[in-house]
Amino acid sequence: IGVVIGACVCAFCWLSVQAGLGILAFSLLGTAVPLLITGGIHMDGFLDVTDARSSFQSRERKLEILKDSHIGAFAVIMTVLYVLIAAGAYSEIKNYSVMASFCGSYFLSRIFSAIAVVSFPCAKKEGTLYMFADAAQEKIVKRSLYAELALCALWQILMDPKAGIMQLICALTVFGYYYYKSKKEFGGITGDLAGYFVTLCEGALMVMAAIACL
């Protein structure tokens, strides 16, 4: 899915240049492409986790909030902020080599998310994420993911060394933050937390790509 999204974003960028899209349309539509492809499944996790973390309740209560289908004010506020920051960053990615490097970030975020599934503790002994983690052949999966990580890193660095290195460092930083916060506040990861990480990581990588263009 990450490869598909990256390819679609690259295609969108090329088409937007050919069509002469303005910067506002380019930024907003470019930010929307991944959401349109995934149906917003990861953004759903971002909303739920934001609500849970903003409650400042016990670990058990936070896990209950994750299962609640309703959304609160903090989830809406943080999502609006996320979209504004993402669109603003997107508007600054004006270098073709940086954009090509950034397109690999959709693959990169999902590789790290998959590594977390087979490496981090699960917050509960149920749910889709636990089912995948429990059934996975850990050694084989990890080796495959590390090989994919190396290929993705190679692509990003070859496309633009500065942007590629910045994005890899950023992804590792967000990955460490994800591990620390998920273990401390939830006792492990869940499907919603996996979606939260993918969304947060992609947003952070978008900002890094924008900074690389400055």
Side-chain angles (χ1 to χ4, degrees), residues 15-85:
L15 289 171
S16 66
V17 172
Q18 303 306 310
L21 282 184
I23 192 65
L24 182 60
F26 171 75
S27 304
L28 294 178
L29 292 175
T31 304
V33 168
L35 294 174
L36 291 171
I37 295 173
T38 63
I41 186 172
H42 300 303
M43 185 59 75
D44 176 69
F46 181 82
L47 286 162
D48 289 339
V49 173
T50 300
D51 266 341
R53 293 191 62 199
S54 300
S55 71
F56 297 102
Q57 299 293 318
S58 65
R59 179 181 297 175
E60 291 72 22
R61 178 56 184 151
K62 286 179 181 178
L63 289 172
E64 290 178 7
I65 293 173
L66 291 183
K67 295 189 293 184
D68 193 339
S69 59
H70 299 87
I71 61 170
F74 285 106
V76 175
I77 292 169
M78 292 305 296
T79 301
V80 171
L81 284 175
Y82 178 91
V83 172
L84 289 174
I85 292 171

Side-chain angles (χ1 to χ4, degrees), residues 96-105 155-157 159-160 163-164 167:
Y96 287 114
S97 63
V98 173
M99 178 57 77
S101 177
F102 167 69
C103 286
S105 67
W155 163 270
Q156 292 187 288
I157 292 173
M159 291 300 101
D160 191 285
Q167 289 181 91

Side-chain angles (χ1 to χ4, degrees), residues 162-212:
K162 178 184 175 182
I165 292 172
M166 287 176 65
Q167 289 181 91
L168 288 170
I169 294 173
C170 178
L172 285 168
T173 302
V174 177
F175 188 66
Y177 174 81
Y178 174 43
Y179 174 76
Y180 174 74
K181 286 296 183 179
S182 62
K183 191 172 182 180
K184 179 182 178 182
E185 297 189 30
F186 298 90
I189 62 173
T190 66
D192 282 324
L193 280 158
Y196 173 82
F197 166 74
V198 170
T199 302
L200 186 66
C201 189
E202 287 178 359
L205 292 175
M206 198 176 294
V207 172
M208 283 297 104
I211 293 174

Side-chain angles (χ1 to χ4, degrees), residues 109-128:
S109 63
R110 284 161 177 78
I111 292 172
F112 275 114
S113 181
I115 291 173
V117 170
V118 294
S119 303
F120 294 1
C122 291
K124 51 187 180 180
K125 305 296 183 181
E126 59 181 359
T128 305

